[in-house]
């Protein structure tokens, strides 16, 4: 398998943190993506005998980029200042600003809805798929006990 071309498109978030009282006012730099970037790639294989090879390689590349660059992950660099040393761990592993809890309760089916609908969500580098909804009555579905997922939110600019 040879990856002949790869293209990554997304928004890069650059954080200058912490600000310090020194000649160099920035103690560190953090580069991350708020959301999963779009990855396009071309691969060459020696044979077409392996089914779904493209999907496997693409999913692997997507996962690696997400683990490296999507918030809370990223590249952190502590910069030298004449004042206090920058706490590299705090720069590399930021605390979340808050949490988003999603609780699924029910849905009204549309005419063309699948017989077992589910919800798929992602926030930053975290993604989640719910269990399928149970049909309660015609055109109405519910999740038993409510399906719940909690996401850490690191920026008000993240999308769901």
């Amino acid at each position: 398998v040879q990856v002949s071309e790869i293209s990554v498109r997304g928004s890069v978030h650059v954080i200058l943190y912490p600000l310090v009282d020194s000649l160099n006012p920035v103690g560190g730099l953090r580069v991350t993506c708020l959301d999963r970037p779009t990855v396009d790639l071309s691969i060459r294989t020696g044979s077409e005998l392996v089914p779904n090879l493209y999907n496997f390689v693409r999913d692997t590349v997507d996962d690696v980029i997400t683990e490296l660059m999507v918030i809370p992950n990223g590249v952190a660099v502590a910069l030298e200042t004449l004042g206090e040393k920058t706490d590299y761990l705090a720069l590399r592993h930021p605390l979340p600003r808050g949490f988003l809890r999603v609780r699924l309760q029910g849905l009204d089916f549309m005419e063309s809805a699948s017989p077992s609908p589910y919800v798929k969500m992602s926030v930053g580098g975290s993604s989640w798929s719910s269990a399928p909804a149970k049909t309660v009555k015609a055109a109405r579905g519910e999740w038993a006990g409510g399906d719940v997922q909690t996401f850490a939110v690191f920026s008000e600019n993240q999308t769901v």
Side-chain angles (χ1 to χ4, degrees):
V1 176
Q2 176 185 6
V3 176
S4 61
E5 185 177 326
I6 187 167
S7 168
V8 180
R9 287 188 309 273
S11 297
V12 174
H13 193 73
V14 178
I15 303 161
L16 303 174
Y17 174 83
L19 297 179
V20 294
D21 188 21
S22 175
L23 185 59
N24 176 9
V26 179
L29 172 75
R30 184 163 173 31
V31 180
T32 186
C33 294
L34 294 180
D35 300 307
R36 274 182 101 114
T38 304
V39 178
D40 295 322
L41 59 96
S42 299
I43 64 170
R44 295 184 187 145
T45 61
S47 169
E48 299 301 322
L49 298 177
V50 181
N52 298 323
L53 182 62
Y54 175 80
N55 293 337
F56 174 74
V57 172
R58 175 162 182 151
D59 290 346
T60 302
V61 170
D62 280 348
D63 290 344
V64 167
I65 290 173
T66 297
E67 289 175 14
L68 291 175
M69 288 304 298
V70 178
I71 206 163
N73 303 316
V75 176
V77 178
L79 302 174
E80 287 294 324
T81 64
L82 299 176
E84 295 180 26
K85 286 191 70 99
T86 301
D87 182 3
Y88 179 75
L89 288 177
L91 185 64
R92 177 72 179 98
H93 304 287
L95 294 174
R97 290 185 174 227
F99 296 91
L100 171 66
R101 176 163 289 160
V102 178
R103 179 180 311 246
L104 304 177
Q105 295 178 341
L107 70 117
D108 293 323
F109 294 144
M110 297 175 56
E111 294 292 324
S112 63
S114 107
S116 54
Y118 66 97
V119 174
K120 186 173 184 178
M121 293 182 65
S122 64
V123 176
S126 302
S127 57
W128 167 69
S129 294
S130 73
K134 309 269 190 274
T135 303
V136 177
K137 32 183 160 159
R140 176 93 179 123
E142 289 184 354
W143 281 269
D147 214 344
V148 179
Q149 178 67 24
T150 303
F151 294 97
V153 179
F154 292 88
S155 170
E156 61 276 358
N157 297 323
Q158 283 182 268
T159 59
V160 178

